[in-house]
Amino acid sequence: MFLSVVIPTYNRLPILRKCLLALEDQQLIAPISGYEVVLVDDGSTDATLGWLADHAAELPHLRLIRQEHGGPAAARNRGVQGARGDVIVFIDSDLVVTPSFLSCHAQALQRHWSRPGHRPCFTYGAVINTANFDHPTGEPHKLRDLSFAYFATGNVAIERQLLERAGLFDTRFRLYGWEDLELGERLRRLGVVLVRCPEAVGYHWHPALRLEQIPDLIRVERERAKMGLVFFLKHPTLRVRFIVQYTWLHLLLWELLTLGGLLNERSLRPLLALLIRGGQASMAMELLRLPLNRLGVRSLFAEARILAATKVQSSPI
């Protein structure tokens, strides 16, 4: 089994260095015959390209593909198209993996394939969230690290032929969010089975919450809303409605939990600042998720209204 690890990146050099060096430290055992790391630089404007050139000797498995900034969906497609492996492993450029990472994915796939009457499958590893930049792999597993997503490209391994059969990623998802879950819907319809592989561990680093991040978090929620509507319009099912939270139930839920918007990023700011100063940035982030979720759902409904109005105006009388 030859594996191609496909990683899109955009201006993530500090954590990307740890990501790539961890992938060079893999302990390979059967059934792996070899692997490569296909890094797709999505038009980075930081020092990424210079660092890669200066440290090429430390990264013998790395192959670099460059493209103009087009988003993660287009970048992952370029990575798959340029990969040599029969198995594609997707991770993000802010994920730091353990030495047994690739072997665990390969062995889990092999076990499933060896079963009589096995169905097409992919393996889904564990993602542990951490704000510890110096020692990301020292983070313990937490309840909030559990994911019930069917297909998320933070840590999955899948046969290349299944990806090509499903049609790869939809490049209309140029903004943040949903491009991997949308591909997952197509894989599900093909009868592809999710095989949990918790021993293939990746540590997802993101900086601890700072108040200065709030405007960017709001921007991301609005982008997710736009892409969530693209997702639903492509798959207008009740299941996808609930995935993207495009229901009146979700709208009511977040209105209730934020007291009709009284709990928002402005009114919560003093409490968030207090929690952050007290070393409880993760708790502050969980609290901030309440108004962010309300904003995301309201933005999704607003995008849907704008689209409906545009269709009415453009329709012939």
Side-chain angles (χ1 to χ4, degrees):
M1 188 188 301
F2 188 90
L3 301 117
S4 293
V5 185
V6 172
I7 309 171
T9 191
Y10 178 68
N11 291 346
R12 301 305 301 272
L13 179 57
I15 192 62
L16 174 65
R17 292 186 294 218
K18 291 180 179 289
C19 171
L20 296 178
L21 292 173
L23 286 167
E24 292 295 342
D25 193 32
Q26 292 298 290
Q27 300 168 353
L28 301 185
I29 58 176
I32 297 178
S33 61
Y35 75 102
E36 64 178 356
V37 177
V38 182
L39 179 70
V40 184
D41 182 78
D42 189 30
S44 291
T45 56
D46 62 1
T48 293
L49 297 178
W51 184 87
L52 292 173
D54 291 343
H55 293 80
E58 301 171 44
L59 305 167
H61 293 91
L62 181 68
R63 293 178 53 227
L64 176 64
I65 296 175
R66 298 172 60 183
Q67 68 172 33
E68 296 295 323
H69 187 53
R76 291 192 183 98
N77 285 351
R78 285 287 302 274
V80 173
Q81 291 159 0
R84 300 172 181 145
D86 50 358
V87 169
I88 305 295
V89 181
F90 287 115
I91 68 170
D92 294 326
S93 59
D94 53 6
L95 198 81
V96 181
V97 302
T98 59
S100 62
F101 177 76
L102 292 180
S103 293
C104 288
H105 270 299
Q107 289 174 336
L109 286 170
Q110 191 65 46
R111 284 195 300 270
H112 187 81
W113 293 342
S114 64
R115 293 173 182 171
H118 79 86
R119 294 166 62 191
C121 72
F122 66 90
T123 50
Y124 195 165
V127 175
I128 298 176
N129 293 290
T130 179
N132 187 340
F133 181 81
D134 293 329
H135 304 287
T137 57
E139 183 77 16
H141 196 287
K142 306 170 292 299
L143 185 61
R144 64 177 178 271
D145 293 324
L146 294 176
S147 172
F148 298 98
Y150 169 71
F151 185 86
T153 47
N155 185 351
V156 294
I158 185 169
E159 284 182 280
R160 180 199 189 104
Q161 63 170 336
L162 286 178
L163 287 172
E164 293 172 342
R165 186 175 158 202
L168 299 182
F169 295 91
D170 188 334
T171 55
R172 288 179 295 174
F173 291 85
R174 290 182 58 89
L175 302 178
Y176 184 88
W178 305 117
E179 76 282 349
D180 48 355
L181 274 72
E182 189 281 319
L183 174 56
E185 284 302 295
R186 286 179 273 138
L187 291 169
R188 180 189 290 274
R189 293 178 184 183
L190 291 174
V192 180
V193 176
L194 182 161
V195 176
R196 296 282 177 183
C197 184
E199 59 274 19
V201 181
Y203 293 82
H204 176 214
W205 178 81
H206 45 84
L209 178 66
R210 294 176 291 108
L211 296 181
E212 295 80 9
Q213 291 175 277
I214 293 178
D216 193 52
L217 293 171
I218 291 173
R219 175 190 61 79
V220 166
E221 283 303 317
R222 289 185 171 133
E223 289 188 0
R224 278 169 52 86
K226 291 178 183 290
M227 297 299 96
L229 186 59
V230 173
F231 186 6
F232 172 71
L233 293 176
K234 188 170 181 178
H235 303 279
T237 65
L238 183 61
R239 169 183 163 78
V240 174
R241 268 191 184 274
F242 271 83
I243 289 174
V244 301
Q245 302 192 71
Y246 184 34
T247 73
W248 290 103
L249 177 63
H250 287 96
L251 193 61
L252 177 61
L253 172 66
W254 297 116
E255 289 291 336
L256 289 173
L257 290 177
T258 59
L259 305 179
L262 289 176
L263 298 178
N264 56 56
E265 66 277 6
R266 294 179 300 278
S267 64
L268 288 173
R269 195 177 183 91
L271 179 54
L272 296 174
L274 182 64
L275 289 170
I276 292 170
R277 285 197 302 270
Q280 299 295 323
S282 60
M283 185 179 296
M285 186 66 234
E286 293 305 313
L287 183 60
L288 182 60
R289 289 190 195 282
L290 295 176
L292 288 178
N293 275 315
R294 175 179 180 267
L295 172 68
V297 173
R298 288 172 64 89
S299 296
L300 178 54
F301 274 81
E303 289 291 333
R305 287 194 297 270
I306 292 170
L307 181 62
T310 302
K311 287 183 177 180
V312 169
Q313 292 174 2
S314 62
S315 61
I317 298 175

